[in-house]
Amino acid sequence: MTNQNILQTAMEQSALDINCKASDFLESRHVIVQSNISPGARKYYKEPIACNLVSYGNNIVASVRGEYREIVEEYINKFEFYHCFETPNMHWLNERLMQMGQKVCFMAEYYLPDVEKLYSLPCRYELKIMGQPDFTDLYKQEWSNALCEDRKELDILGVGAYDAGKLIGLAGCSADCDTMWQIGVDVLPAYRREGIAAALTSRLAVEILERGKVPFYCSAWSNIRSVRNAVKSGFIPAWVEMTAKLEGIVDGMNK
């Protein structure tokens, strides 16, 4: 795959996620569409979603339920598009959505591999390719970024790092949609800062590409450790998202 192929695949998937066209992300103007999660959307997208703002660095494509369209349209036209994904401008949107029982919920930055920089980084520990049967006993807190207990059936491939037979690091990928698999990684605290996370992430990304799928990586912009791992592993920022959901859902996550 080329970088252009990979980017196009990601935009096509985002289009399925938020009910727009892939070409909408390349427009210089903002695009607003009716909110709808298609059958081909990433598996973790769940209704109800008041609005989802997505940017690939050119504009904002806003997928919005009808009753919130006026607010969102004013918001994305009021501020520079990249400031719409951060404070203080975000408070403008949140305050108005709260009057309608909604709050800003998820915010994330997504990364795609740069095939000119991606290769399997070296590791001083033994690395093993893992499949679903290997994950059965690994749904524990220490591997909660690499594996997701709520969606075990989607955890399809992994790479483990072993020290004398002991699992010390794990990168796993979730088949979140037909064309793209998301990578998560965990390393035991005593083994961090040795380059294990990057070795696992880069190796898994190569394995995913060899299977004809596009690997992607997600991080909060403030998670510097995760961002550094993405960059070291051969990934580059590709798009950002911000989602608003029911106030009760957001408050429940904060308890």
Side-chain angles (χ1 to χ4, degrees):
M1 295 187 189
T2 66
N3 285 338
Q4 187 57 44
N5 295 149
I6 289 170
L7 180 60
Q8 183 63 30
T9 298
M11 291 191 294
E12 288 172 358
Q13 182 57 50
S14 290
L16 291 173
D17 295 337
I18 67 169
N19 192 36
C20 70
K21 298 180 294 184
S23 59
D24 289 338
F25 300 112
L26 300 176
E27 296 283 351
S28 57
R29 59 178 178 83
H30 299 319
V31 178
I32 301 177
V33 297
Q34 176 66 35
S35 177
N36 182 55
I37 299 176
S38 80
R42 280 175 278 168
K43 300 295 192 300
Y44 51 82
Y45 274 61
K46 302 293 182 183
E47 293 284 12
I49 297 177
C51 71
N52 195 352
L53 308 184
V54 180
S55 178
Y56 276 79
N58 302 295
N59 66 347
I60 293 176
V61 179
S63 179
V64 189
R65 294 180 65 174
E67 59 266 42
Y68 311 111
R69 182 184 176 108
E70 185 176 341
I71 293 173
V72 173
E73 185 170 11
E74 182 178 358
Y75 178 62
I76 63 178
N77 287 312
K78 183 177 181 66
F79 304 106
E80 192 70 34
F81 76 92
Y82 46 85
H83 288 315
C84 289
F85 295 86
E86 62 182 8
T87 56
N89 299 155
M90 185 188 72
H91 292 304
W92 187 99
L93 176 64
N94 196 58
E95 288 168 2
R96 284 154 180 79
L97 288 176
M98 283 179 62
Q99 297 173 16
M100 303 180 73
Q102 306 289 329
K103 281 184 177 180
V104 172
C105 185
F106 299 116
M107 299 173 63
E109 185 170 24
Y110 291 84
Y111 299 77
L112 292 172
D114 181 343
V115 295
E116 297 178 2
K117 297 178 180 178
L118 176 67
Y119 62 94
S120 296
L121 294 170
C123 184
R124 59 178 291 196
Y125 299 99
E126 179 186 11
L127 300 185
K128 292 182 181 179
I129 305 301
M130 306 170 70
Q132 285 184 323
D134 303 306
F135 302 147
T136 303
D137 298 323
L138 298 180
Y139 288 93
K140 303 174 182 178
Q141 182 59 36
E142 58 262 44
W143 311 122
S144 58
N145 289 312
L147 302 173
C148 180
E149 188 168 15
D150 292 338
R151 299 189 296 272
K152 291 181 179 179
E153 72 282 1
L154 301 181
D155 292 331
I156 198 165
L157 184 68
V159 179
Y162 291 82
D163 182 9
K166 174 186 176 182
L167 183 65
I168 60 169
L170 175 63
C173 67
S174 175
D176 291 333
C177 50
D178 291 341
T179 58
M180 301 179 71
W181 293 355
Q182 180 171 193
I183 294 176
V185 62
D186 291 291
V187 176
L188 296 181
Y191 291 87
R192 291 173 184 167
R193 297 183 180 274
E194 296 185 44
I196 298 171
L200 291 169
T201 303
S202 60
R203 176 65 182 275
L204 184 54
V206 169
E207 294 288 336
I208 293 170
L209 284 170
E210 288 179 351
R211 288 162 173 77
K213 306 296 183 180
V214 171
F216 70 105
Y217 187 103
C218 177
S219 175
W221 66 267
S222 55
N223 190 344
I224 300 300
R225 183 169 61 189
S226 181
V227 171
R228 285 175 175 166
N229 179 58
V231 173
K232 185 176 181 180
S233 301
F235 284 75
I236 55 176
W239 80 96
V240 293
E241 296 188 18
M242 184 170 74
T243 306
K245 282 181 166 285
L246 285 168
E247 186 174 6
I249 293 176
V250 178
D251 291 345
M253 293 177 180
N254 288 327
K255 288 183 180 179

